[in-house]
C-alpha cells in the first residue's frame, strides 16, 4: 500500500498547481442567490403575496373622481307663448364634476371567502418556492457529488498511469539487458496508452460536469475549480421519521393541500351568488349648465348624494348550480391528488431508503476489497520487479485494484445520491 501511495504522490507532484476548492456550502449559497429557477419562483411567490390584499378581495370601497364636460353648438328654434325665437350657432355647456364612493358591504360573504383564498394562494406560492429551492439544490448536491466522484476516479486513473509507467520502465530496462522480449515492452506501452486514453475521457467528463454545476449556480460556465475530496454519509437516517416529516414538510404535498383548501373556498364564493348584494354609495357633485337660448340660460348646483342599491338573483339559467357541481368535483379531485401524491412520496422514500442501505453496504464491502487489492498489488509489484511474475499477472492485479477503487467510489456516490433524495422528499435538505 505504501508503494502505491508513493507512486500517486509522485504523479500528483508533477501534475501542476491545483485550482481553488469550491466547498458544497458555497455552491449552495451561490445557487440560492443566482439560480434562475429559484429567482423566478421567488418572484412568483412575491406576486402571490402582493395579491393577498383586502382590495383584491373586494372588501374596500371604490372612490372615483368624475368629470363630465359636454359642449355643443346648435341651430336652435323655440316657440314660447306664440313668440318664435331663433339662434344659429348657439353654444351650450353641461359640466359635471365631483367625487363618488361605491362600497359593497354585503355579497353573501364572498369577499371573506376570497380573502381567505388569497391567503391560501400566498401560502401555496411559498410552498412552490420551497419546492423549487429543494429541487434545484438537490440538483446542486448531486452535481457536486458527481464531481467529487469523478475527481476521485481521475486520481485512481492517475495512480494506474503511474503504475503503468513504472511497469513500462521495468520492461524497457529488462529488454535492454536482454532479460525481456520486445513483446513485453510493447504490451506495457499498449496498457499505458490505454490508461492515458481513459484519463483523457475522464477529464473531459469532469470538465462537462463542472460546466453543469456552474450553470446550476448561474455563473460563467468556463470558471475552473476543484471540489472537496471526501463524500461523508449521514448515519442518522431513519425511514419512519422521514415519512412523518414528509407528510408535514414536503412542499409539493403542502402545495396540493393548499390547492384543495383553495378549491373549498372557491365553492363558498360560488354559493355566495345565491344571496343578495348590497352596495352603499355617496358623493359630492357640482353641476353647471349654460345655454345661449332658453328660459334658463345658466344654472349651477352642488351637494351630496347618497343611497344604496340591492340586488338578488332569482334565476340565472341554473348557472350557480352547475358551478357548485363542478366545484365539488374539483374538491374531490384535489383530495384524490393529495392522497395520490402522499402515497407516491412514501413509495419514493421507501425505495430510496432501500437503495441507500444497499449502496452503503456495498461501500463497506468495496472498501475491504480496496484494502485487499492494494495489498495484492504491493506484493505483485515487488515480485514483478525481481522478475518472478509475468506482466499479465501484474496487469491483472493492477486492474483489480483500480476496479475496486472505482466501485468503492461509485457506491459512495450512489449512497449519497439516495441520501439527498431522502432529504429532498422529506423537506429536510439543508440550505
Amino acid at each position: 500500500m505504501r508503494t502505491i501511495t508513493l507512486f500517486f504522490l509522485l504523479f500528483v507532484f508533477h501534475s501542476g498547481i491545483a485550482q481553488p476548492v469550491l466547498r458544497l456550502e458555497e455552491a449552495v449559497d451561490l445557487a440560492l442567490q443566482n439560480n434562475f429557477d429559484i429567482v423566478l419562483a421567488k418572484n412568483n411567490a412575491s406576486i402571490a403575496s402582493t395579491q393577498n390584499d383586502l382590495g383584491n378581495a373586494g372588501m374596500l370601497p371604490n372612490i372615483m373622481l368624475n368629470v363630465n364636460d359636454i359642449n355643443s353648438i346648435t341651430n336652435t328654434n323655440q316657440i314660447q307663448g306664440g313668440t318664435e325665437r331663433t339662434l344659429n350657432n348657439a353654444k351650450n355647456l353641461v359640466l359635471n364634476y365631483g367625487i363618488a364612493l361605491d362600497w359593497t358591504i354585503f355579497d353573501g360573504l364572498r369577499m371573506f371567502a376570497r380573502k381567505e383564498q388569497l391567503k391560501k394562494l400566498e401560502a401555496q406560492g411559498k410552498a412552490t418556492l420551497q419546492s423549487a429551492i429543494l429541487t434545484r439544490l438537490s440538483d446542486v448536491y448531486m452535481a457536486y457529488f458527481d464531481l467529487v466522484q469523478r475527481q476521485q476516479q481521475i486520481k485512481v486513473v492517475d495512480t494506474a498511469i503511474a503504475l503503468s509507467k513504472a511497469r513500462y520502465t521495468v520492461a524497457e530496462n529488462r529488454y535492454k539487458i536482454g532479460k525481456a522480449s520486445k513483446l513485453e515492452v510493447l504490451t506495457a506501452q499498449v496498457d499505458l496508452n490505454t490508461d492515458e486514453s481513459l484519463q483523457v475521457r475522464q477529464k473531459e467528463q469532469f470538465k462537462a460536469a463542472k460546466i453543469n454545476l456552474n450553470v446550476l449556480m448561474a455563473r460563467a460556465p468556463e470558471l475552473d475549480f476543484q471540489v472537496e475530496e471526501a463524500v461523508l454519509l449521514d448515519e442518522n437516517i431513519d425511514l419512519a421519521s422521514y415519512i412523518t416529516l414528509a407528510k408535514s414538510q414536503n412542499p409539493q404535498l403542502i402545495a396540493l393541500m393548499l390547492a384543495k383548501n383553495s378549491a373549498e373556498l372557491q365553492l363558498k364564493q360560488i354559493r355566495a351568488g345565491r344571496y343578495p348584494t348590497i352596495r352603499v354609495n355617496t358623493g359630492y357633485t357640482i353641476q353647471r349648465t349654460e345655454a345661449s337660448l332658453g328660459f334658463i340660460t345658466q344654472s349651477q348646483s352642488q351637494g351630496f348624494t347618497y343611497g344604496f342599491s340591492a340586488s338578488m338573483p332569482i334565476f340565472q339559467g341554473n348557472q350557480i348550480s352547475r358551478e357548485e357541481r363542478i366545484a365539488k368535483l374539483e374538491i374531490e379531485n384535489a383530495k384524490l391528488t393529495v392522497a395520490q401524491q402522499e402515497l407516491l412520496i412514501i413509495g419514493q422514500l421507501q425505495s430510496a431508503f432501500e437503495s441507500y442501505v444497499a449502496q452503503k453496504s456495498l461501500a463497506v464491502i468495496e472498501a475491504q476489497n480496496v484494502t485487499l487489492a492494494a495489498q495484492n498489488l504491493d506484493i505483485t509489484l515487488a515480485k514483478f520487479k525481481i522478475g518472478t511474475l509475468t506482466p499479465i499477472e501484474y496487469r491483472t492485479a493492477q486492474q483489480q485494484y483500480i476496479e475496486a477503487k472505482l466501485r468503492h467510489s461509485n457506491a459512495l456516490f450512489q449512497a449519497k445520491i439516495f441520501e439527498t433524495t431522502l432529504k429532498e422528499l422529506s423537506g429536510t435538505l439543508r440550505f
Side-chain angles (χ1 to χ4, degrees), residues 170-183 185:
V170 171
E172 194 172 36
N173 290 336
R174 292 176 61 186
Y175 172 71
K176 288 179 181 179
I177 62 176
K179 289 190 175 182
S181 66
K182 184 67 175 178
L183 178 62
V185 177

Side-chain angles (χ1 to χ4, degrees), residues 23 378 428:
R23 296 184 300 110
D378 269 341
T428 59

Side-chain angles (χ1 to χ4, degrees), residues 10 164 223 257 269 343:
L10 288 172
S164 293
L223 286 178
M257 290 177 178
Q269 294 180 64
L343 183 61

Side-chain angles (χ1 to χ4, degrees), residues 21-90:
V21 176
L22 175 71
R23 296 184 300 110
L24 177 59
E25 292 79 4
E26 295 171 343
V28 168
D29 288 341
L30 287 170
L32 283 172
Q33 295 171 20
N34 303 326
N35 182 271
F36 292 108
D37 289 331
I38 292 177
V39 174
L40 287 170
K42 286 179 180 178
N43 290 340
N44 289 333
S46 296
I47 291 173
S49 177
T50 303
Q51 289 179 332
N52 183 16
D53 180 77
L54 293 174
N56 197 27
M59 303 177 80
L60 299 179
N62 294 319
I63 301 175
M64 301 290 292
L65 181 64
N66 301 309
V67 178
N68 190 15
D69 185 6
I70 302 174
N71 295 273
S72 63
I73 299 176
T74 61
N75 296 328
T76 305
N77 184 272
Q78 294 181 349
I79 299 176
Q80 185 177 7
T83 303
E84 182 177 357
R85 301 176 63 189
T86 301
L87 180 62
N88 294 327
N89 298 323

Side-chain angles (χ1 to χ4, degrees), residues 134 138 142 233-247 249-251 345-358 360 414-430:
L134 286 176
S138 176
M142 292 182 183
L233 297 178
D234 186 351
E235 302 293 337
N236 300 316
I237 292 181
D238 178 68
L239 178 60
S241 62
Y242 271 39
I243 289 175
T244 302
L245 289 170
K247 291 179 179 179
Q249 294 184 181
N250 182 277
I345 289 171
I346 293 173
Q348 290 174 335
L349 280 168
Q350 291 176 338
S351 177
F353 181 76
E354 293 299 328
S355 298
Y356 168 77
V357 172
K360 190 177 173 184
Q414 292 298 327
K416 199 65 182 177
I417 291 301
F418 289 116
E419 176 193 311
T420 302
T421 300
L422 285 166
K423 292 182 177 180
E424 179 188 356
L425 290 171
S426 61
T428 59
L429 191 64
R430 181 173 54 87

